[in-house]
Amino acid sequence: PSHDPSSLQGYAKGVLVDGRTVEVQRKPPASYGYDHVCDEHQTQSEIFESVGVPVTDAFLEGYHGCLIAYGQTGAGKTFTMQGPGEVDDNLDCDVNPSAPCVDDPNAQGLIPRVLQRIFQRVEDEINGSLLHPDPPIDQRPCDMQFTVKCSYLEIYNEQVADLLLPVGSTSNNPT
């Protein structure tokens, strides 16, 4: 039989996740509700479909969008947002064949998936492929310009860092 290494060391899972609820195992138990909660069993694709797609589609309809990954150190926030890193030896496919690869589209995080969806939609709009095959004249594709702006911020120890600033930049205050 397989054994969970944490149970062998006397540890037990202290937080249970159920869709939109987090239950903290303590006396008395505490339960917290959220729009969406992900646990260690959700795939990158499932996270994108349940969280990324609705936020991205609302953004494409003109609403502001924001995706936040929150959790303790080592919980998987960066992996969830970005996917596997290029320099992480633990995620190197040659070193660890069962690890998610940088080149594996199934391992992509929220950021590359959201950007891909946004720019595919822009391309579809420009090409008129979102329109009816034989649209009325007033609905035919026209010359359009699109501007996409984004921020990539990290909040750590109550300090905000703009992760899109060039390395060595003196200003780290996002606008």
Side-chain angles (χ1 to χ4, degrees), residues 5 8 10-11 20 29 32 40 44 50 66 69 80 85 94 100 121 123 136 148 150 152 156 159 169 171 175:
L8 296 175
Y11 296 103
R20 296 175 69 144
Y32 304 93
E40 70 274 16
Q44 296 284 64
S50 62
C66 181
T80 299
D94 295 330
R121 175 71 177 272
E123 185 176 323
V148 177
C150 68
Y152 186 22
Y156 184 74
Q159 297 293 315
S169 175
S171 174
T175 56

Side-chain angles (χ1 to χ4, degrees), residues 6 10 14 23 25 38 51 55 57-58 68 70 74 92-93 96 127 133 144 158 162 166 175:
S6 62
E23 186 174 326
Q25 301 298 299
C38 305
V51 177
V55 170
D57 288 351
I68 298 173
Y70 178 81
D92 184 344
C93 298
N96 183 0
N127 295 332
M144 290 188 253
E158 300 182 21
D162 185 340
T175 56

Side-chain angles (χ1 to χ4, degrees), residues 11 19-20 32 65-66 74 84-85 89 103 107 113 115 119 125 130 162 173:
Y11 296 103
R20 296 175 69 144
Y32 304 93
C66 181
D89 289 336
D103 298 332
R113 289 172 190 260
L115 291 174
F119 288 109
E125 289 277 353
L130 292 178
D162 185 340
N173 295 324

